[in-house]
């Protein structure tokens, strides 16, 4: 197969994945609204839909025997989500990104803990099954907390200070500014005329399209990588990670320009947690990923540092504005340069 044909199929697969991932996000959001999910739970499910290209690509690479590509996709996507996605959103949002501090603390602590637990698994410092168990010990309580309605939270026998913090973390986003025309923002597209059953079944063919497109994209990208002698970790961490992150980037910029700062940061952090859980930690229990490469180790360190940096910048009273956005983008460019310098020495 010629290079031009490989590139053509890669581009077509990318377009299919990007469009299907965006549609899947809208479909999941619509179902969540119909079922009256909390904002936190709905945000996590929407993040899962936006993550579908990244997760599908990582799993497809792992199942095809390209473990380095799989790890690179997950870690590279997460770095792009924190540094690139938040950085670009902060630059394009007119008034910057000012997330709810309580929600930022809850989402940030959970994301950091899950990143640390998954890192132990990648480094083979703990068995895969134990790493996945440690991740679940963080994710399950976090998932329960963001799923509770304020009335349910009030019934919990916990100190009032903690209850108040959790309530503000769940509802603080309501204080974000509305559009200038004063109209309430539409939370999800209108339900299809077919009713609830069609609405619940609609994501199935879309998910199939995402998986099929991601599988083709990984196969064509790895074929080109082999021809051009591109290491698998680099192919995953820089190329596929950026391409599969496009749907997330489009969604985040749209939210940022509408003043939904809490949703932007929450989507980035929850996307990273879901990537690590379903794209790295869980698959490692069933399929050996091998020893991490130097690129993967660099990506782990970069991910931890950029996550802490983004949380510190977002926690300021002014939130994330253009100087912070430039700083986050600079950290991502430093990662790209470091990878390019490191690869020839491998």
């Amino acid at each position: 197969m010629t290079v031009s044909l490989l590139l053509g199929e890669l581009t077509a697969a990318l377009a299919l994945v990007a469009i299907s991932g965006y549609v899947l996000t809208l479909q999941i959001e619509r179902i969540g609204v119909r079922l009256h999910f909390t904002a936190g739970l709905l945000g996590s499910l929407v993040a899962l839909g936006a993550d579908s290209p990244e997760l599908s690509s990582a799993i497809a690479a792992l199942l095809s025997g390209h473990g380095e590509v799989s790890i690179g996709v997950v870690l590279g996507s997460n770095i792009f989500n924190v540094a690139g996605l938040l950085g670009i959103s902060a630059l394009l949002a007119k008034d910057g990104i000012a997330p709810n501090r309580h929600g930022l603390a809850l989402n940030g602590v959970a994301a950091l803990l899950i990143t640390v637990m998954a890192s132990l698994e990648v480094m083979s410092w703990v068995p895969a099954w134990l790493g996945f168990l440690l991740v679940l010990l963080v994710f399950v309580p976090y998932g329960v907390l963001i799923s509770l309605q304020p009335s349910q939270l009030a019934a919990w026998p916990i100190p009032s200070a903690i209850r108040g913090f959790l309530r503000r973390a769940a509802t603080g986003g309501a204080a974000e500014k509305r559009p200038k025309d004063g109209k309430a923002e539409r939370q999800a597209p209108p339900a299809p005329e077919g009713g609830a059953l069609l609405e619940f079944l609609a994501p199935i063919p879309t998910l199939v399209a995402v998986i099929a497109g991601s599988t083709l994209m990984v196969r064509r990208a790895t074929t080109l990588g082999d021809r051009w002698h591109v290491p698998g970790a680099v192919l995953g961490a820089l190329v596929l990670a950026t391409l599969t992150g496009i749907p997330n980037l489009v969604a985040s910029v749209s939210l940022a320009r509408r003043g939904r700062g809490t949703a932007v940061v929450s989507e980035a952090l929850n996307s990273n947690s879901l990537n690590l859980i379903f794209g790295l930690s869980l698959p490692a229990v069933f399929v050996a990923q091998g020893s991490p490469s130097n690129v993967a180790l660099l990506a782990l360190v970069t991910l931890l540092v950029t996550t802490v940096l983004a949380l510190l910048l977002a926690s300021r009273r002014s939130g994330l504005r253009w100087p912070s956005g430039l700083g986050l983008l600079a950290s991502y460019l430093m990662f790209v340069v470091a990878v390019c310098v490191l690869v020839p020495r491998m």
Side-chain angles (χ1 to χ4, degrees):
M1 187 176 293
T2 63
V3 171
S4 59
L5 183 58
L6 287 172
L7 288 173
E9 291 187 1
L10 177 63
T11 302
L14 173 62
L16 175 62
V17 168
I19 295 172
S20 300
Y22 178 73
V23 173
L24 182 62
T25 299
L26 296 179
Q27 292 170 334
I28 292 176
E29 184 180 7
R30 184 185 295 131
I31 292 174
V33 171
R34 177 183 286 274
L35 296 179
H36 305 289
F37 288 156
T38 63
L41 179 59
L42 180 58
S44 295
L45 292 176
V46 170
L48 182 60
D51 277 350
S52 56
E54 300 163 6
L55 293 173
S56 298
S57 299
I59 295 173
L62 182 61
L63 294 178
S64 63
H66 297 87
E68 284 191 355
V69 176
S70 177
I71 295 176
V73 170
V74 173
L75 298 180
S77 295
N78 283 15
I79 296 171
F80 181 75
N81 283 345
V82 173
L85 185 148
L86 290 181
I88 294 174
S89 297
L91 287 176
L92 297 181
K94 182 179 180 181
D95 298 320
I97 300 174
N100 164 29
R101 289 187 178 183
H102 298 86
L104 177 66
L106 179 62
N107 295 324
V109 169
L112 274 177
L113 288 176
I114 290 174
T115 302
V116 171
M117 300 307 175
S119 299
L120 297 177
E121 191 173 350
V122 172
M123 296 293 296
S124 300
W125 289 346
V126 298
W129 66 267
L130 180 57
F132 180 60
L133 178 60
L134 292 174
V135 167
L136 287 184
L137 289 177
V138 177
F139 182 71
V140 172
Y142 168 75
V144 171
L145 288 176
I146 64 175
S147 303
L148 293 174
Q149 299 286 351
S151 58
Q152 296 172 314
L153 189 61
W156 275 38
I158 56 178
S160 58
I162 297 179
R163 184 184 295 111
F165 169 83
L166 294 175
R167 183 181 296 111
R168 287 189 291 271
T171 62
E176 293 178 342
K177 68 178 184 179
R178 293 178 178 273
K180 291 183 178 180
D181 58 8
K183 298 179 181 179
E185 184 177 342
R186 178 169 60 88
Q187 296 298 318
E193 297 180 359
L197 180 59
L198 179 60
E199 190 171 348
F200 290 128
L201 294 178
I204 296 178
T206 311
L207 181 60
V208 171
V210 171
I211 295 174
S214 298
T215 302
L216 178 61
M217 185 168 61
V218 168
R219 290 179 177 176
R220 296 300 176 259
T222 52
T223 299
L224 288 170
D226 291 338
R227 289 194 180 186
W228 293 336
H229 307 290
V230 179
V234 177
L235 183 65
L238 296 185
V239 181
L240 288 175
T242 303
L243 293 178
T244 55
I246 291 177
N248 253 337
L249 176 62
V250 172
S252 295
V253 170
S254 176
L255 289 171
R257 292 180 65 86
R258 287 179 283 159
R260 302 283 301 279
T262 297
V264 173
V265 178
S266 177
E267 181 190 358
L269 295 177
N270 286 327
S271 293
N272 283 6
S273 296
L274 292 169
N275 277 344
L276 291 171
I277 294 171
F278 297 107
L280 192 153
S281 184
L282 178 59
V285 176
F286 303 99
V287 181
Q289 295 176 322
S291 301
S293 64
N294 290 335
V295 173
L297 297 179
L298 173 63
L300 275 176
V301 174
T302 304
L303 175 58
L304 287 168
V305 171
T306 53
T307 301
V308 172
L309 175 63
L311 291 174
L312 291 176
L313 292 174
S315 65
R316 298 181 306 168
R317 185 175 298 275
S318 59
L320 294 172
R321 293 184 176 273
W322 69 265
S324 302
L326 289 177
L328 289 174
L329 284 175
S331 68
Y332 183 72
L333 292 178
M334 290 173 61
F335 168 68
V336 173
V337 171
V339 169
C340 295
V341 171
L342 179 64
V343 169
R345 301 180 180 180
M346 292 175 60

